Amino acid sequence: MTITSDTPVAIIGAGPAGLVLAHLLKAIGIDSVVLERRDRGYVEQRVRAGVLEHPSVELLRDLGLADRLEREGLSHRGIELAFEGRRHRIDFLDLVGHSITVYGQQEIVKDLIAARLAAGDPIVFEVDDVTIDGIDSDFPTVGYTHDGERHELRCRIVAGCDGFHGISRDRIGEGPSGNTVFDRDYPFAWLGILAEAAPTIDELIYSSHERGFALYSMRSPTITRLYLQVPADERIEDWSDDRIWSELEIRLPTGDGFSFNTGPIHERGITTMRSFVSIPMRRGSLAIAGDAAHIVPPTGAKGMNLAIADVAVLAEIIDDVITDGKDERLDDYTDECLRRVWRCQHFSWWMTSMLHRFDDDPFRRQLQLSELRLVTSSTPAATNLAENYVGVALGPSLRSPATQAGDGRSLAGARSLASEGKVDR
Ligand code: FAD
Ligand code: PHB
């Protein structure tokens, strides 16, 4: 027997995209059900991103979800770029008037899950065999198995927020017009560790070294997060603690008065690097967001921020469809997202290309060094990096001219009305 229920929006995936979307919809009075394949503990412990752009922080603050982030997040007014053994600061606050916040993705996920469950709103963990039917109709259904029972959610919109390995993207590609994929693999990966070691500096260091890239980051006053460029097929078993620390010692700019603490390594893993965009991001009543639609290499710290930006657009469009019956707004979703997606793709590719070791080609290395010198000595070049890194404001500036000429309502407006208790629907 199948248990059937109704909801305006079915959200597949409880990562940053799915959870932020659920909260945005709630703020404008639209219910949803979030379905997650993993258990709660797993998604709350999954160590991934760390950098929140200024607009992402503002959005979480507008939603009333930033209390712990503001208490425990580390505000950084810039980053350092290191090459030829020296560090060079890029001061975001001076250059573009904004800073960024370092706060673990899993902490955001914990905060968003706790707030949703406290409000009595549904997240169904440990679902299996998720299916999407009726995509080309106005009444799609999402099937899933939970606790041995089969369920069916009847809805108006399905949001595929199920990451790069989810099921939603392929469903879009099965449509009559198919999909187009743009992608690039890189010949290297990142080996990342989380270590119980107090950070010795309060900004990130991106280091371009002849032996490969290294990144010095942190999560709290007692936890350091570090990354090393390694070959794409590297095995984590081949990296002992000693090997990791001595390679970091070589690649970080320790000759420039910088030293770092070592300590027990709690978490380690290897992440492959990829640039990927699949379009369209919507077919019929199914829209995909975040890593389900695109992947960037982590050098620009953009992936989670881009996931949040997608769902800010999607929530506004869902509001227009469900509240005002403007079904045609779904046609705008892909284009409204893509301008930001490609800006972030370019920035992430550019940071990756400038900072990593690709091959032994001395010509390429001289070009990298020349670019690094430019970015760290020219105010316009540094401003370009700063503007991209802190993030362009969410809102009409990156929207198509057609949608900018709308009726002036915006999700930001709806959100602030909701938080003032003025929205009653
Ligand atoms: P995900 O976080 O992947 O969430 C998708 C969810 O869907 C998962 O919980 C998954 O279990 C669930 N799911 C999958 N399939 C199904 C199914 N069939 N049914 C139900 N549920 C399903 N980004 C930044 O912005 N800043 C950074 O500093 C940064 N650093 C990074 C460092 C590393 C090492 C890595 C790996 C990534 C980094 N990123 C960074 C990228 C960022 O982590 C991702 O872009 C982000 O997780 C995307 O969020 P999402 O919600 O789209 O997808
Ligand atoms: C992190 O702290 O995990 C981090 C920071 C900056 C990046 C990527 C990851 O570019």
Side-chain angles (χ1 to χ4, degrees):
M1 202 189 77
T2 300
I3 303 163
T4 305
S5 49
D6 295 306
T7 183
V9 183
I11 300 175
I12 308 174
L19 291 168
V20 172
L21 178 62
H23 280 284
L24 282 168
L25 293 175
K26 171 87 179 179
I28 48 178
I30 297 175
D31 288 336
S32 60
V33 173
V34 180
L35 303 174
E36 168 57 49
R37 190 168 50 130
R38 304 284 193 167
D39 64 44
R40 181 176 176 183
Y42 183 93
V43 295
E44 290 188 344
Q45 298 308 322
R46 192 167 38 196
V47 178
R48 289 173 92 182
V51 174
L52 275 174
E53 290 177 353
H54 164 74
S56 304
V57 173
E58 291 224 301
L59 183 139
L60 292 170
R61 191 183 296 136
D62 280 356
L63 287 170
L65 293 165
D67 289 355
R68 193 162 72 93
L69 185 159
E70 293 194 314
R71 269 196 325 274
E72 296 177 20
L74 307 169
S75 177
H76 287 198
R77 60 176 287 161
I79 56 168
E80 300 203 343
L81 296 181
F83 54 97
E84 296 179 311
R86 289 196 49 213
R87 290 180 284 150
H88 307 259
R89 270 198 87 221
I90 308 273
D91 191 318
F92 300 152
L93 207 56
D94 273 358
L95 291 164
V96 292
H98 292 300
S99 44
I100 48 123
T101 302
V102 173
Y103 188 65
Q105 175 170 328
Q106 77 273 28
E107 303 307 324
I108 295 176
V109 165
K110 274 183 211 159
D111 295 346
L112 299 186
I113 289 175
R116 184 160 171 89
L117 297 181
D121 296 320
I123 305 178
V124 190
F125 290 101
E126 298 181 78
V127 299
D128 278 324
D129 302 325
V130 175
T131 53
I132 314 168
D133 289 302
I135 293 172
D136 296 314
S137 78
D138 288 348
F139 303 101
T141 57
V142 175
Y144 63 95
T145 303
H146 180 62
D147 273 347
E149 287 183 310
R150 192 72 192 156
H151 295 252
E152 187 181 80
L153 276 176
R154 293 186 302 210
C155 52
R156 173 65 190 90
I157 305 283
V158 182
C161 300
D162 47 355
F164 188 66
H165 301 289
I167 55 154
S168 305
R169 184 176 58 252
D170 286 351
R171 299 306 317 277
I172 288 186
E174 288 162 12
S177 344
N179 62 340
T180 307
V181 165
F182 303 84
D183 64 348
R184 172 144 311 182
D185 286 334
Y186 298 85
F188 41 76
W190 277 14
L191 186 161
I193 62 164
L194 211 52
E196 203 178 309
T200 51
I201 182 171
D202 52 15
E203 284 177 356
L204 273 57
I205 304 176
Y206 287 80
S207 182
S208 174
H209 191 273
E210 271 62 24
R211 286 170 70 97
F213 171 73
L215 172 60
Y216 187 84
S217 179
M218 62 283 300
R219 285 291 179 272
S220 74
T222 55
I223 303 287
T224 318
R225 176 84 167 140
L226 296 130
Y227 296 97
L228 280 169
Q229 175 186 349
V230 295
D233 55 358
E234 196 76 337
R235 290 162 7 118
I236 193 76
E237 303 80 54
D238 294 336
W239 285 81
S240 65
D241 291 16
D242 278 354
R243 184 173 176 205
I244 292 173
W245 291 120
S246 38
E247 194 61 31
L248 285 164
E249 189 72 41
I250 296 171
R251 293 193 201 175
L252 290 172
T254 47
D256 191 29
F258 172 71
S259 63
F260 60 89
N261 293 321
T262 60
I265 297 178
H266 289 316
E267 229 274 340
R268 69 187 76 211
I270 291 187
T271 309
T272 52
M273 311 270 282
R274 176 182 289 127
S275 300
F276 177 94
V277 180
S278 174
I279 55 169
M281 290 169 62
R282 167 257 172 182
R283 169 186 153 203
S285 302
L286 167 66
I288 55 174
D291 279 13
H294 39 70
I295 294 280
V296 284
T299 329
K302 287 285 161 239
M304 174 171 56
N305 294 293
L306 208 43
I308 293 174
D310 283 353
V311 295
V313 172
L314 184 57
E316 199 161 323
I317 289 178
I318 291 176
D319 186 26
D320 288 344
V321 172
I322 290 184
T323 312
D324 300 329
K326 292 184 183 162
D327 292 6
E328 69 283 3
R329 285 284 285 129
L330 283 167
D331 297 338
D332 299 332
Y333 177 58
T334 300
D335 286 347
E336 283 192 22
C337 291
L338 275 188
R339 290 184 64 181
R340 176 185 296 274
V341 168
W342 280 113
R343 177 86 304 277
C344 292
Q345 284 290 349
H346 179 267
F347 179 66
S348 305
W349 166 85
W350 175 71
M351 287 283 281
T352 303
S353 309
M354 179 169 68
L355 289 161
H356 289 72
R357 176 186 167 153
F358 278 76
D359 46 37
D360 291 325
D361 178 1
F363 185 76
R364 181 195 278 266
R365 182 62 186 150
Q366 290 306 321
L367 294 182
Q368 286 182 324
L369 290 172
S370 170
E371 187 144 43
L372 283 162
R373 284 183 209 117
L374 178 73
V375 165
T376 52
S377 61
S378 142
T379 302
T383 304
N384 177 48
L385 188 154
E387 187 177 25
N388 279 278
Y389 200 100
V390 302
V392 183
L394 300 173
S397 61
L398 278 182
R399 293 173 56 180
S400 62
T403 54
Q404 282 188 45
D407 60 8
R409 281 182 59 214
S410 74
L411 193 72
R415 278 199 311 270
S416 55
L417 286 175
S419 60
E420 289 162 29
K422 292 185 187 153
V423 172
D424 182 23
R425 44 188 155 89

